[in-house]
Amino acid sequence: MAKRNNENLSISDVLKEFVETNRLEKGLDKVNVRDAWTSLMGNGVNNYTTEISLERDTLYVQLSSSVLREELSYGKEKIITMINEELGKDVVKKLILR
């Protein structure tokens, strides 16, 4: 930690630096993407969501309803934008609905 001597660092800065230094960011992104999907999609969609996983920059979402999958497929770009805005960075580049 190069900034250790600076006593004006906020807790969030210290945590961010720790996370980046220890390469934990990818793991946190996976958790945060899951949380973002859950909060943005609401109960209607979440009731049919069986699995969510992030591999590199692709978000895989398993849905138990083919009708819902079809419906959501028309708004993939919007969903990607919403999730990335929620996370404050471009984590998801591609959305695969299964």
Side-chain angles (χ1 to χ4, degrees):
M1 286 186 151
K3 297 180 195 171
R4 186 171 281 157
N5 299 336
N6 185 347
E7 292 175 17
N8 298 327
L9 278 180
S10 70
I11 298 287
S12 65
D13 288 340
V14 172
L15 280 172
K16 187 174 181 225
E17 199 169 316
F18 175 81
V19 165
E20 288 168 358
T21 303
N22 294 288
R23 295 201 173 99
L24 301 174
E25 212 162 349
K26 288 281 175 231
L28 286 175
D29 286 344
K30 289 180 182 192
V31 172
N32 293 339
V33 160
R34 221 172 273 138
D35 291 346
W37 175 271
T38 305
S39 69
L40 289 168
M41 299 319 259
N43 287 339
V45 173
N46 287 317
N47 290 338
Y48 295 102
T49 303
T50 55
E51 193 181 327
I52 301 167
S53 65
L54 179 67
E55 293 171 28
R56 293 195 183 89
D57 58 3
T58 304
L59 179 61
Y60 295 91
V61 179
Q62 186 95 37
L63 298 165
S64 59
S65 165
S66 57
V67 175
L68 181 62
R69 187 179 320 117
E70 184 73 19
E71 197 67 33
L72 290 178
S73 70
Y74 296 116
K76 278 185 181 182
E77 289 304 315
K78 186 176 184 206
I79 293 169
I80 291 170
T81 302
M82 285 169 36
I83 288 175
N84 286 333
E85 281 176 4
E86 180 86 2
L87 297 173
K89 58 182 179 175
D90 285 344
V91 174
V92 179
K93 299 221 183 328
K94 195 172 173 190
L95 174 61
I96 307 284
L97 302 169
R98 303 193 262 206

